[in-house]
Amino acid sequence: MRPTIVILGLILASVALRSTASDPVGRPDGLPVVLETRFRDSILPFVQKNCVACHSGPKKKGDLDLSVFQSTDAVVKHLAQWEVMLEQLESGAMPPLKAKEQPKAEERRQVIDWIKAVRREEATRNAGDPGPLPPRRLSNAEYDRTIRDLTGVDIRPAQEFPVDPSNGAGFDNSAESLALSPALLTKYLDAAQKVADHVLFATEGLTFAPYPVISDTERDKYCVRQILDFYKRQRTDYADYFQAAWRFRHREALGDSGITLAALAKREGVSSKYLAAIWDLLSGPQEEFGPTAAIQAMWRDLPGTKDTATTVRAKCEAMRDFVVELRGQLVPEVKNLTAPRMSAGSQHMVLWKNDQMAANHTRHAPTGPFKLKLVKLAAISAAAQALTVPDEDDAKKTYEATFSRFCGVFPDAFYVTERDRPYLSFAKERKQSGRLLNAGFHSMTGYYRDDRPLYDLILSGDEQRELDRLWLDFDAISGAPMRQYTAYIWYERAETGFLRGVKAFEAVRAEDKDSTSERKMKQFEDILLGQARATGASETVLKAIMDHFKNMRTALRRTENARRAAEPKHLASLRSFAERAYRRPLSKAESEGLVAFYRQLREKDGLGHEDAVRETIVSVLLSPHFLFRVEPAAPGSGRQPLNDFALASRLSYFLWASMPDAELLARAAAGDLHRPEVLLAQTRRMLKDDRVGGLATEFAGNWFDIRRFEEHNAVDRERFPAFTDSLRRAMFEEPIRFIVDMARNDGSALDILYGQHTFVNGVLAKHYGMPEPKGGPDHWVKVDDARPFGRGGILPMAAFLTKNAPGLRTSPVKRGYWVVRKVLGEKIPAPPAEVPELPSDEAKLGKSLREALELHRADKACAGCHARFDGVGLALESYGPIGERRTVDLGGRPVDARAAFPGGGEGSGLSGLQTYLRERRQDDFLNNLCRQLATYGLGRSLLPSDDSLIEEMRIKLASGNNRFSALVETIVTSPQFLNKRGDVNLSKDTTR
Amino acid sequence: MNSNSKGPISRRTFLRGAGVAMALPWLESIPVWGKPTVVGGVPAAFPKRFATLFMACGINPDHWWARGAGAEMELSRVLEPMAPYRAKLNVIDGLFNKNATGVGIHPGQTGNILSGASLQRGAELRGGVSMDQVLARHVGQESVQPCMVLGCEQPVTGYHETNFSMAYSSYISWQSATSPVPMEVYPSLAFDSLFDNRGQQRHRSVLDRVRGEAASLAGQVSAADRARLDEYLSSVRDLERRVARARSEQQTAEARGQNRDRPVATMPRPDNGLPEDIRDHMRLMCDIVALGFQTDKTRVATLLLCRDISGLFYPFLNVGLAHHLASHNDRSAAYERVSRYYVSQLAYLTSRLEAMPEGDGTVLDHSCLLFLSNMFSGSRHDSSKLPLLLVGGLTGALQTGRVIDYRERGDDNRKLCSLYLSIMDRMDVRLPRFGDADARLADL
């Protein structure tokens, strides 16, 4: 029995650590006299006779010294140690079998009863004690989620951290276990720098990018994406507008009488400004000929409301196709600008052409109207008729003029997102795609904004301002104009040779920090203009050069000004960042200190603005106010109410494993969060939020011991090729999604055991033999009745079945132990060290596992424990080593899932097990669920004084249909959760 | 202030410069900075160093050759600056980088020169980790700076006509498949990175601040709650001590050097801003590499003398065109002068290392310098073979004074990455494969 003693020693050692901090809330009178007397008369003699020989002195077994317990005061003070004694006495593990003499059963009973009585006494006396809750460091999981909610991007720096130890109950969110070391602090420093590398210096304040944005290319990528996303959000499909206009025409028939055009646009999600323009054109005065007449003819031709929506849509799309085809044939051609010896790829030349092309979006080529070839238009239609070129010259002129209005309403493009190099031949450039928002330079940085039609025709005033801001942010964040200008210098130097031999040009260098100063720009402009004149460039070219310099100057100065103007806003961002990082308002001194630190970095350490901001962010993320959940001490004795900000953090770390959101902080700021109705309303809101995934993952993941399942590598993938990374990921997600669903929809806690439903994605459905839902691995569906596939509830989920199987065989022992120990909460001593190992491969086992286990149980030393769980595991034998359903084992023997359950009763398979649990163990399960959730929610091991909370949870659960919310609500409104132990040594004025 | 101004030296600059002038050579500095030099009576092996010097757009192909061996080696006009060191020189002909051929000119020929990776076109950068960074991760961990990545010309972005990003033309050193290593072009900052660790300075400020916060916080929680904060405080102090130790060790080393009146590595801190003259710029960068090697502050350095499609001018060579345009007439006398000028930079760095005694030899003897270009001929943009020189014997691991020609050995036996494997072997970094090679270079 040695191994048991060693394990016990470990347990006691941790208990001893804990008990030093668990001095209860004040100590009025001692125990009732009857307990005091019994301690003297029988307990003390019992301990001295049976225990102290081993558990005392320098060689005390299990690091447990029982000789110190000479009074009941000592017992009460270290009650946790006595609770371990209680377990040992009850299970018969102590005194050990090899002891010379065993106590009489009656004596043992007496001690057991006495400890229980003392515990009850203590539990009642201190009921609701908040317990010891020192500042808690964020766990790794909390750290990652907090960074995610703080920055808005999921950086997950904690992946590099050492694994957090868990407390006795298996959770890693309690102060008892969350220590801090210099090694971890170094990791925090690295992580903080990593996060700071994501900060973007936008004109309105700091934001964070999903990847590090230190380098120009990464900043460009981010800003380009922002602008493209904006473009993509806009509705620019002509068919949508035609359809909306049609709806407006038939508003009465469609039951929308009285709706305005603007209201309809809003409902349809299209631009009201542009819909008005389209409506005016379509329903305005009928034109005689030309493109407007053509589209009006098609408009008149649209079906009424009797036709199906599909028909209407198809006709609207035909109108669109007509416009697109027509517009494609009207685009004016712009010839390259040329000058002797000058490269057509020089910035001023390329941009001149870009400008012409951009201006042409709403113009037509003069000859275009006379050589149309519209293949999509039915030749005999009225629309085709309208586009027949008239014979007479005067009529021709009128005909051509009609194109102007049309092209003004229907641009050939609303915006351009990709540009090849327009000065090269189209054929050569066609394949060069992916140059987003590019100016089309050769080998030079340069972006070009070409969205005038969108801006003028579609965007509202607010949207115009947003788009302007995005472009300004692009320049300010990435410094693109500066780079474009220095690239200009480089290009003229290294690529064109246009300035060959111009001595003065040698002094114009891209490398110079002041290369964008007015003086140096003028110098370059003069050199370029001088050489252009000398080589006979046209006035257009000279003007293109001057325009380019003018535009570059504007862009550069605008960018510089925007950057300067943004600096105070960045400081304001820093303050609000710190405030949210600390999860409470900053004091005046803190706020000033933060800015002072930034100034010190700039002035004393010589850092630039960006470095200083990043470094200030590092200091915030390394601050104890961020890394620890510090609850200000409450002066006085007994329990003292927590302030609302600390309460907000308790709530959010319980339900989301992350920081409070804006609403929660607002309630805390309003000072009413502690009011029960506010607290419960917030709790309900939070349970419905997606972030409740934090609770599911951290609470259920740790409770069920699968938190690290994504690293589970015990499966032989050659024998089980189905076990891919994506299946493993899906297996892990299944129980998490199950719990999230239970929390969000307030399901019954009993569904964990008996639920008929589960959640699958494609790969998991395949594994379970269910119809596979379409969509990628992120597409999950609820299967309402999974029983026909042998699933439903937590027990038959592949993650648990796989985790508790050693690879090439199942393990009824491990599975049974998992159900009994983890799910039902039964305490079972660890096995002795010399337990014989079963072969690891079921195929190589001479007999079935069932038979092997029967032999094992024949050994009396093993039977005591194994009888408590083997049967439970055997009922799950129809699931193979990776949780797949099976009828024969790997050795080809038929699977038998019949089982005799602990404490009596027989059954077979999952349903047999569920019946057994329902009839005999449901109480165990609910009790355990309450204890586990309370431990997690309070962030500490439970104390005897928490017994009343558990009782109340049970009562609420029973009266509330076993709804999950009953559990959560009982915890968050408990005195434990709302209070903190007071500290008599503190006076009011030393605390905030 | 104009970054190029040469006004009075600020106090801060002066202090920095003064501190550095006392940095000690490796042998002296080791006992206080790192491992003991002598272990059980056996001197610790000298550190092995590796530097790459890159020149873009090829050399003058008519004047790039060598014949014979050792002191008798005959050198072409372009290689002539290396004449004093021919016994320590290897001229390697005919190596090539397969993934830098057949992909169009310039960026695709450059961004993978130290990685052998296939490069991705379009907006997303993707190449491979370069061999200098592999070395940095191994041998570089022993020194203050795992690797110095320096350049004498600013990087550019944008797209080349081949639809490769111009980033490939600007960076040869890559820390991951998607990220180039930021290149330092300011000599003053490169210098600081070796001797006045700005990161450490910043850490001190941050640590100082959070220690203050923790201390004031400790006063606001109850005595029972203080234990965890104490843990935090002692962790902060521990980190601070480490930073302080690094500084005091440097000061001790400096003091020791002063007392013994030893020939210490001396170099004043370069001025802020960029040198006006490219000759000064390159020379300063070589000085910094040499100093970094001598004081064992770094063991790996990559110096981009010029960028691909370079815009550098050489008025002092009487060459009217910028580098790239000049390379389009690479058989000209002008480009011969340019090519020789670049080889003379290698010769300069060689001379600096050769002048630094270390044990029975010099720092050069414990180093390997790699000089290469991304093309053999700039007029034809030909990267089917590359001009390549190695200098220094890596403490006897690399035989020198040879001309080795791989041209006729078949493509599988003339891989640039095979050379990298062989060099890394000799730096005690043994990899089964690198880039496109899984075999060492024969006969090196």
Side-chain angles (χ1 to χ4, degrees):
Chain A
M1 288 309 293
R2 277 185 67 82
T4 314
I5 299 172
V6 174
I7 302 282
L8 175 61
L10 287 174
I11 296 170
L12 285 173
S14 65
V15 165
L17 272 177
R18 230 187 294 159
S19 57
T20 52
S22 64
D23 196 17
V25 190
R27 286 240 47 210
D29 305 317
L31 292 172
V33 180
V34 55
L35 290 177
E36 292 280 357
T37 319
R38 190 165 306 152
F39 179 73
R40 268 196 319 276
D41 294 351
S42 48
I43 309 304
L44 197 54
F46 178 98
V47 171
Q48 267 154 358
K49 182 172 168 218
N50 295 297
C51 315
V52 167
C54 293
H55 293 292
S56 68
K59 287 176 139 185
K60 52 186 182 282
K61 292 277 165 78
D63 204 29
L64 175 64
D65 189 346
L66 293 178
S67 65
V68 299
F69 294 108
Q70 296 297 329
S71 70
T72 53
D73 277 0
V75 173
V76 167
K77 193 159 183 203
H78 299 286
L79 194 56
Q81 292 186 20
W82 282 70
E83 285 187 66
V84 177
M85 274 173 70
L86 176 68
E87 276 168 33
Q88 296 294 317
L89 288 168
E90 277 192 312
S91 71
M94 283 286 149
L97 287 174
K98 65 178 180 191
K100 280 185 209 115
E101 201 185 337
Q102 288 289 332
K104 290 197 191 84
E106 175 51 31
E107 290 171 341
R108 186 187 288 265
R109 184 81 266 149
Q110 254 188 5
V111 179
I112 289 171
D113 288 347
W114 185 82
I115 301 176
K116 283 183 172 169
V118 172
R119 192 183 187 287
R120 258 194 313 276
E121 194 62 37
E122 283 300 297
T124 321
R125 200 160 51 89
N126 292 320
D129 171 19
L133 265 180
R136 269 167 287 178
R137 154 170 93 63
L138 299 182
S139 73
N140 294 348
E142 290 168 343
Y143 186 95
D144 271 352
R145 285 197 173 79
T146 304
I147 291 290
R148 179 198 65 194
D149 294 340
L150 184 60
T151 62
V153 288
D154 202 3
I155 301 170
R156 302 193 190 194
Q159 281 175 337
E160 314 266 318
F161 296 176
V163 174
D164 281 331
S166 41
N167 65 6
F171 297 112
D172 59 11
N173 68 341
S174 65
E176 305 146 41
S177 53
L178 290 170
L180 188 87
S181 61
L184 182 59
L185 193 72
T186 312
K187 294 280 183 193
Y188 280 143
L189 187 56
D190 293 344
Q193 276 166 337
K194 197 169 168 185
V195 172
D197 284 349
H198 289 244
V199 78
L200 281 163
F201 297 84
T203 50
E204 293 301 316
L206 303 173
T207 56
F208 289 84
Y211 39 80
V213 279
I214 297 294
S215 72
D216 294 337
T217 37
E218 284 155 337
R219 291 181 181 197
D220 286 3
K221 187 165 90 181
Y222 177 84
C223 297
V224 165
R225 182 46 57 198
Q226 293 289 108
I227 292 171
L228 290 182
D229 287 348
F230 179 92
Y231 287 155
K232 278 210 191 99
R233 283 198 300 273
Q234 308 311 318
R235 299 282 295 273
T236 56
D237 186 340
Y238 293 134
D240 295 341
Y241 288 91
F242 296 143
Q243 199 171 356
W246 176 85
R247 288 220 165 91
F248 188 66
R249 179 161 76 180
H250 298 290
R251 57 191 178 276
E252 271 168 33
L254 292 168
D256 282 331
S257 54
I259 196 167
T260 62
L261 192 62
L264 188 116
K266 190 161 184 239
R267 196 186 70 193
E268 300 294 315
V270 296
S271 156
S272 64
K273 183 162 116 185
Y274 193 53
L275 182 59
I278 293 285
W279 174 257
D280 284 351
L281 183 121
L282 293 177
S283 64
Q286 201 172 317
E287 296 204 0
E288 209 177 325
F289 48 60
T292 305
I295 196 84
Q296 284 174 337
M298 295 174 88
W299 161 250
R300 285 192 303 276
D301 209 28
L302 282 182
T305 52
K306 290 209 175 65
D307 278 274
T308 64
T310 338
T311 318
V312 176
R313 178 72 197 177
K315 294 255 181 185
C316 290
E317 285 177 4
M319 287 172 73
R320 172 197 64 201
D321 294 344
F322 159 71
V323 173
V324 171
E325 190 186 27
L326 178 62
R327 279 308 274 112
Q329 296 178 20
L330 296 171
V331 180
E333 193 194 349
V334 181
K335 288 250 168 19
N336 279 349
L337 192 58
T338 58
R341 284 184 52 198
M342 197 180 278
S343 163
S346 280
Q347 285 190 9
H348 49 267
M349 306 289 259
V350 174
L351 292 172
W352 177 88
K353 187 165 178 179
N354 285 353
D355 286 346
Q356 307 299 313
M357 289 165 76
N360 281 340
H361 288 314
T362 47
R363 294 181 195 147
H364 67 276
T367 54
F370 302 103
K371 43 183 188 184
L372 297 173
K373 250 199 192 142
L374 300 168
V375 295
K376 288 189 176 156
L377 206 59
I380 47 153
S381 65
Q385 215 87 63
L387 287 169
T388 313
V389 181
D391 295 330
E392 289 170 33
D393 281 357
D394 277 359
K396 269 186 185 160
K397 241 178 218 157
T398 326
Y399 168 77
E400 201 217 318
T402 62
F403 282 78
S404 291
R405 178 187 182 198
F406 184 83
C407 291
V409 176
F410 297 108
D412 66 328
F414 281 104
Y415 54 86
V416 177
T417 58
E418 287 185 38
R419 187 174 287 96
D420 48 29
R421 288 168 302 166
Y423 58 94
L424 295 179
S425 77
F426 184 61
K428 193 173 169 191
E429 284 290 288
R430 201 155 18 182
K431 288 184 201 127
Q432 316 281 19
S433 60
R435 301 174 173 193
L436 301 170
L437 304 185
N438 214 268
F441 298 143
H442 172 54
S443 302
M444 284 180 282
T445 304
Y447 296 91
Y448 187 79
R449 178 172 176 180
D450 184 356
D451 55 20
R452 199 79 223 176
L454 177 80
Y455 193 86
D456 289 343
L457 295 172
I458 292 202
L459 299 187
S460 68
D462 282 348
E463 289 163 339
Q464 287 175 340
R465 276 184 288 280
E466 188 187 345
L467 184 56
D468 287 339
R469 187 184 54 75
L470 285 174
W471 276 96
L472 184 63
D473 268 342
F474 186 0
D475 287 349
I477 289 171
S478 76
M482 285 75 172
R483 283 183 287 136
Q484 181 185 334
Y485 183 74
T486 50
Y488 189 30
I489 301 175
W490 160 76
Y491 186 77
E492 295 305 331
R493 242 186 201 218
E495 286 282 48
T496 73
F498 179 66
L499 296 171
R500 181 178 303 190
V502 180
K503 202 74 190 156
F505 187 45
E506 279 165 23
V508 178
R509 307 191 324 156
E511 281 73 17
D512 294 344
K513 270 202 163 158
D514 65 343
S515 63
T516 55
S517 68
E518 288 291 341
R519 185 178 64 84
K520 288 233 166 155
M521 286 182 81
K522 184 86 180 88
Q523 194 182 0
F524 184 26
E525 183 178 6
D526 289 345
I527 291 168
L528 209 51
L529 282 172
Q531 183 75 346
R533 287 195 185 98
T535 50
S538 67
E539 279 305 314
T540 315
V541 170
L542 294 176
K543 183 161 186 311
I545 293 173
M546 288 185 274
D547 283 349
H548 181 44
F549 272 92
K550 197 174 116 217
N551 292 338
M552 282 307 308
R553 268 190 203 99
T554 311
L556 288 166
R557 301 296 93 89
R558 186 179 55 217
T559 308
E560 286 161 4
N561 290 339
R563 284 181 163 183
R564 228 182 343 263
E567 287 191 12
K569 292 179 186 164
H570 296 158
L571 292 189
S573 285
L574 274 181
R575 277 194 295 267
S576 79
F577 178 81
E579 205 155 83
R580 295 192 310 118
Y582 298 172
R583 306 168 281 265
R584 56 167 175 78
L586 299 186
S587 69
K588 189 158 175 286
E590 281 175 326
S591 180
E592 287 166 358
L594 192 75
V595 176
F597 183 66
Y598 162 86
R599 296 255 170 259
Q600 175 204 325
L601 290 170
R602 291 209 60 175
E603 283 147 30
K604 207 163 138 243
D605 294 345
L607 301 188
H609 172 67
E610 293 195 358
D611 277 340
V613 165
R614 273 194 290 267
E615 214 53 19
T616 309
I617 288 174
V618 169
S619 84
V620 168
L621 295 180
L622 204 65
S623 163
H625 297 293
F626 170 71
L627 292 174
F628 288 87
R629 292 163 55 192
V630 187
E631 295 169 344
S637 64
R639 54 172 97 125
Q640 298 290 342
L642 216 54
N643 79 38
D644 274 8
F645 286 101
L647 182 58
S649 279
R650 278 198 184 180
L651 260 186
S652 72
Y653 281 96
F654 175 21
L655 300 180
W656 292 344
S658 183
M659 59 181 282
D661 66 352
E663 180 168 347
L664 209 47
L665 289 175
R667 295 271 46 102
D672 60 9
L673 184 59
H674 61 277
R675 283 167 49 192
E677 69 277 13
V678 178
L679 187 63
L680 286 176
Q682 287 299 320
T683 302
R684 283 168 199 148
R685 172 182 76 85
M686 292 173 74
L687 282 174
K688 296 239 174 293
D689 192 282
D690 273 346
R691 280 168 284 193
V692 83
L695 174 70
T697 311
E698 301 312 321
F699 164 64
N702 282 311
W703 175 21
F704 295 139
D705 207 14
I706 50 151
R707 190 61 191 86
R708 312 197 76 76
F709 186 74
E710 283 172 283
E711 296 154 26
H712 184 76
N713 263 330
V715 174
D716 182 337
R717 295 200 184 193
E718 286 194 9
R719 292 279 283 277
F720 293 100
F723 192 77
T724 57
D725 283 359
S726 47
L727 178 61
R728 183 173 62 184
R729 164 91 218 155
M731 285 181 176
F732 172 70
E733 258 190 81
E734 184 189 11
I736 305 300
R737 284 181 181 266
F738 190 93
I739 301 292
V740 165
D741 173 69
M742 188 173 82
R744 293 190 61 174
N745 299 311
D746 202 10
S748 161
L750 290 176
D751 281 352
I752 292 175
L753 294 184
Y754 322 128
Q756 298 173 1
H757 65 280
T758 193
F759 293 83
V760 293
N761 63 359
V763 59
L764 191 61
K766 188 171 175 210
H767 187 56
Y768 286 169
M770 296 172 178
E772 293 170 42
K774 299 257 182 308
D778 291 331
H779 183 66
W780 285 76
V781 294
K782 183 178 182 188
V783 180
D784 288 320
D785 188 359
R787 288 174 302 173
F789 307 96
R791 310 289 160 174
I794 289 284
L795 298 172
M797 287 189 183
F800 309 117
L801 296 166
T802 306
K803 165 124 202 312
N804 294 302
L808 286 178
R809 61 170 171 84
T810 61
S811 172
V813 175
K814 287 176 89 178
R815 287 175 177 177
Y817 180 81
W818 178 79
V819 173
V820 171
R821 174 79 190 83
K822 285 284 165 187
V823 183
L824 304 180
E826 185 175 341
K827 289 195 177 110
I828 295 169
E834 55 272 16
V835 66
E837 262 298 316
L838 287 167
S840 58
D841 187 344
E842 187 166 272
K844 292 178 186 138
L845 201 65
K847 44 186 144 340
S848 72
L849 262 180
R850 168 182 298 273
E851 289 157 351
L853 283 172
E854 268 161 26
L855 278 178
H856 189 62
R857 279 198 303 275
D859 185 340
K860 278 256 180 298
C862 309
C865 289
H866 279 267
R868 293 160 74 179
F869 47 78
D870 280 7
V872 172
L874 284 168
L876 298 170
E877 268 299 85
S878 42
Y879 303 96
I882 56 168
E884 77 285 13
R885 282 178 99 192
R886 61 178 190 172
T887 49
V888 290
D889 70 13
L890 294 182
R893 292 169 291 265
V895 158
D896 178 358
R898 283 173 303 163
F901 294 115
E906 292 189 350
S908 175
L910 177 64
S911 61
L913 175 58
Q914 285 170 329
T915 308
Y916 162 73
L917 294 175
R918 197 189 293 272
E919 287 170 358
R920 297 183 178 243
R921 306 299 292 271
Q922 186 164 305
D923 236 30
D924 289 348
F925 165 73
L926 289 176
N927 221 26
N928 187 39
L929 169 63
C930 293
R931 296 188 66 88
Q932 296 292 338
L933 192 63
T935 306
Y936 178 80
L938 298 176
R940 59 167 170 79
S941 295
L942 294 184
L943 302 168
S945 49
D946 296 317
D947 286 0
S948 53
L949 169 61
I950 304 299
E951 267 166 48
E952 203 190 332
M953 288 170 78
R954 290 297 308 274
I955 294 166
K956 291 272 171 62
L957 205 51
S959 64
N961 255 335
N962 294 308
R963 295 289 140 208
F964 183 70
S965 60
L967 296 174
V968 173
E969 289 174 13
T970 312
I971 293 174
V972 302
T973 51
S974 69
Q976 284 92 327
F977 198 83
L978 295 168
N979 296 288
K980 185 171 171 62
R981 274 189 189 172
D983 183 347
V984 283
N985 297 320
L986 282 171
S987 66
K988 286 265 182 209
D989 48 84
T990 60
T991 59
R992 242 174 307 121
Chain B
M1 187 179 76
N2 181 341
S3 55
N4 295 306
S5 77
K6 291 185 177 161
I9 302 168
S10 76
R11 183 179 144 69
R12 184 175 160 78
T13 308
F14 174 76
L15 286 176
R16 273 194 194 162
V20 173
M22 290 297 141
L24 285 183
W26 177 77
L27 201 61
E28 288 298 320
S29 60
I30 288 301
V32 276
W33 280 340
K35 292 178 187 159
T37 320
V38 178
V39 185
V42 184
F46 292 107
K48 292 176 181 171
R49 293 87 155 190
F50 177 79
T52 304
L53 270 63
F54 175 82
M55 167 201 184
C57 304
I59 39 72
N60 181 318
D62 296 336
H63 299 284
W64 183 277
W65 54 261
R67 291 186 208 106
E72 265 71 63
M73 193 190 290
E74 197 187 334
L75 295 172
S76 69
R77 269 190 285 181
V78 165
L79 294 184
E80 218 264 329
M82 290 305 292
Y85 315 106
R86 59 187 110 198
K88 296 185 176 180
L89 172 72
N90 284 318
V91 180
I92 316 260
D93 274 339
L95 296 190
F96 86 129
N97 183 15
K98 185 101 200 293
N99 280 317
T101 58
V103 292
I105 61 175
H106 286 304
Q109 295 177 300
T110 313
N112 53 2
I113 195 158
L114 290 181
S115 71
S118 156
L119 301 178
Q120 181 177 316
R121 289 182 163 90
E124 301 268 328
L125 295 182
R126 184 167 289 278
V129 177
S130 55
M131 64 90 79
D132 60 330
Q133 295 305 304
V134 173
L135 282 174
R137 270 173 220 169
H138 291 89
V139 303
Q141 296 310 314
E142 312 267 321
S143 46
V144 171
Q145 273 278 68
C147 182
M148 274 201 294
V149 179
L150 310 177
C152 299
E153 197 176 3
Q154 296 276 25
V156 287
T157 50
Y159 295 94
H160 186 256
E161 64 194 27
T162 51
N163 213 23
F164 280 112
S165 166
M166 284 296 289
Y168 296 124
S169 276
S170 303
Y171 297 101
I172 60 172
S173 201
W174 290 68
Q175 55 197 342
S176 74
T178 52
S179 307
V181 181
M183 182 164 60
E184 186 54 75
V185 286
Y186 288 86
S188 52
L189 299 181
F191 184 89
D192 291 348
S193 76
L194 284 182
F195 297 104
D196 179 22
N197 195 323
R198 271 156 59 99
Q200 281 190 355
Q201 168 62 37
R202 284 201 245 166
H203 287 178
R204 272 195 312 178
S205 302
V206 168
L207 291 173
D208 202 39
R209 174 169 153 77
V210 296
R211 184 169 39 70
E213 285 186 328
S216 76
L217 190 58
Q220 296 169 4
V221 300
S222 65
D225 287 359
R226 216 160 286 159
R228 287 295 182 226
L229 287 177
D230 287 346
E231 243 174 35
Y232 174 88
L233 266 173
S234 67
S235 297
V236 171
R237 286 203 197 94
D238 190 271
L239 270 191
E240 283 186 317
R241 269 196 296 275
R242 268 190 251 170
V243 174
R245 201 181 307 134
R247 281 185 73 82
S248 80
E249 280 170 0
Q250 182 171 336
Q251 280 159 2
T252 313
E254 287 160 6
R256 269 163 47 97
Q258 226 159 6
N259 291 339
R260 291 201 194 171
D261 200 23
R262 295 265 315 185
V264 291
T266 53
M267 177 178 177
R269 182 177 185 274
D271 290 337
N272 288 325
L274 289 168
E276 288 286 347
D277 191 323
I278 189 65
R279 286 174 293 185
D280 294 341
H281 197 169
M282 289 189 183
R283 188 163 287 233
L284 276 172
M285 289 308 209
C286 287
D287 285 341
I288 290 166
V289 171
L291 195 63
F293 279 4
Q294 184 185 23
T295 56
D296 200 33
K297 298 272 188 180
T298 192
R299 296 182 182 178
V300 186
T302 301
L303 173 56
L304 197 85
L305 291 168
C306 68
R307 194 182 61 217
D308 179 43
I309 323 190
S310 165
L312 293 182
F313 267 126
Y314 312 105
F316 54 90
L317 295 174
N318 195 24
V319 177
L321 294 175
H323 186 98
H324 172 224
L325 292 176
S327 79
H328 283 181
N329 192 4
D330 59 351
R331 303 196 119 94
S332 64
Y335 204 65
E336 182 203 313
R337 291 196 294 279
V338 171
S339 305
R340 189 169 51 235
Y341 167 71
Y342 275 86
V343 173
S344 75
Q345 301 310 304
L346 175 69
Y348 176 71
L349 178 58
T350 304
S351 74
R352 291 299 317 268
L353 299 178
E354 184 70 343
M356 296 168 169
E358 193 173 72
D360 292 338
T362 65
V363 173
L364 182 67
D365 295 328
H366 309 133
S367 305
C368 175
L369 310 181
L370 164 71
F371 178 97
L372 83 173
S373 184
N374 52 344
M375 300 168 200
F376 198 76
S377 160
S379 59
R380 294 188 294 125
H381 297 99
D382 173 19
S383 54
S384 66
K385 62 176 179 190
L386 301 178
L388 195 149
L389 306 172
L390 295 177
V391 198
L394 283 176
T395 323
L398 183 61
Q399 200 194 326
T400 54
R402 295 179 297 162
V403 179
I404 319 177
D405 188 351
Y406 290 91
R407 274 176 298 180
E408 306 300 328
R409 300 199 188 191
D411 283 359
D412 283 346
N413 305 313
R414 59 182 198 98
K415 289 179 178 173
L416 193 55
C417 288
S418 294
L419 172 73
Y420 296 155
L421 279 172
S422 298
I423 291 174
M424 287 191 278
D425 275 356
R426 285 162 174 80
M427 306 263 310
D428 309 308
V429 178
R430 287 168 224 287
L431 303 181
R433 64 189 67 82
F434 179 77
D436 62 348
D438 50 16
R440 275 65 184 156
L441 193 64
D443 301 332
L444 186 73

